[in-house]
Amino acid sequence: AVYAYTAELSTNSAEQTTYNSKFQGINYISMLIFLIILILLSTILQTDDIGTARISQTMAFLTCTTVFGLSWKFFFRQRPALRKVPEHSTLFASGFQKLSSTFFHIYSNQQWHALRYFLLSIMLSEGATAALSTISTTYLTHVLEMNSHQIGKAFLCVFVAGIPGSKLGGWVGVTINPLRSALLCLIVFMANTTLAAVFMKSPETSAWVIYVFCAM
């Protein structure tokens, strides 16, 4: 949902890539601070996995409520609607009608076959990326038998590596082009996930191997 807002910041691909790179850097820094505070609190309070999860959910609720509330109240500016709801339709129905007409327009137009496959790639890759965090947590818990503190250290590596990774991604996107950058990102993502599944198969896996793959 965030990219629905950031996509309107600029129509220049280089500027948009820079904006996205900075946003991801700030995003990783925020998650890193959140994780450090969570690890400190769980260590001081000596909580188990359930207690750590409760602390995490409480912190997430308070942080999101405060940040989103202030942003919605003071930073979101008024803007006119881009489109009007068609006559004899509702806001709910018109959204599905617009999606349906856009889909059939792209699918039926043979000149846009590249866009068709690009959107299909984005749909599948974004779904895989979103599911990876949930699957990785389950994998670390049940297959590698890591506790909450070890999982916290693993994600600490993810967030620390994500800060320079965001800068590197922005440089790659500007140096080549956004499309080639997206292709390179998918190749690295598939290779890293495949190698992690090969080398991380049991609780006897070295912690350094796990942390290196998390950073990658």
Side-chain angles (χ1 to χ4, degrees):
V2 173
Y3 291 107
Y5 293 95
T6 60
E8 298 182 0
L9 294 176
S10 175
T11 57
N12 184 284
S13 60
E15 288 184 352
Q16 185 64 46
T17 301
T18 303
Y19 289 145
N20 289 338
S21 174
K22 291 181 179 180
F23 168 77
Q24 288 297 340
I26 296 173
N27 189 31
Y28 278 114
I29 292 173
S30 302
M31 291 189 291
L32 177 62
I33 295 174
F34 180 92
L35 183 60
I36 292 175
I37 295 175
L38 176 62
I39 293 176
L40 289 176
L41 288 177
S42 61
T43 302
I44 294 173
L45 299 176
Q46 297 181 349
T47 58
D48 55 7
D49 293 348
I50 297 178
T52 303
R54 289 174 176 172
I55 295 175
S56 174
Q57 291 300 311
T58 302
M59 290 175 56
F61 172 77
L62 294 176
T63 303
C64 291
T65 301
T66 303
V67 173
F68 279 121
L70 292 175
S71 300
W72 192 275
K73 178 67 176 177
F74 298 106
F75 299 114
F76 287 170
R77 294 174 293 180
Q78 294 291 334
R79 57 170 296 175
L82 296 178
R83 297 179 181 87
K84 294 183 180 180
V85 178
E87 295 183 2
H88 310 295
S89 182
T90 63
L91 182 62
F92 179 80
S94 63
F96 288 99
Q97 292 171 356
K98 182 62 178 177
L99 288 174
S100 177
S101 63
T102 302
F103 170 79
F104 285 108
H105 188 63
I106 294 176
Y107 183 80
S108 60
N109 194 329
Q110 296 300 323
Q111 295 180 349
W112 290 355
H113 65 280
L115 177 61
R116 186 189 316 163
Y117 288 109
F118 175 75
L119 293 177
L120 179 63
S121 172
I122 292 296
M123 178 181 67
L124 296 177
S125 61
E126 288 294 326
T129 304
L132 181 63
S133 59
T134 303
I135 296 175
S136 61
T137 303
T138 305
Y139 190 86
L140 293 175
T141 303
H142 295 283
V143 177
L144 302 182
E145 298 180 0
M146 299 176 68
N147 56 40
S148 60
H149 294 283
Q150 292 172 323
I151 294 175
K153 293 178 181 178
F155 278 96
L156 183 67
C157 296
V158 175
F159 299 148
V160 170
I163 298 172
S166 301
K167 188 68 175 178
L168 176 62
W171 177 81
V172 172
V174 173
T175 303
I176 47 180
N177 61 65
L179 179 59
R180 299 298 181 185
S181 175
L183 291 174
L184 180 61
C185 178
L186 290 177
I187 292 173
V188 173
F189 176 79
M190 290 186 294
N192 186 46
T193 305
T194 302
L195 291 175
V198 172
F199 290 101
M200 298 163 48
K201 297 187 294 185
S202 67
E204 287 74 25
T205 304
S206 173
W208 287 108
V209 174
I210 298 174
Y211 296 150
V212 167
F213 275 108
C214 288
M216 294 173 59

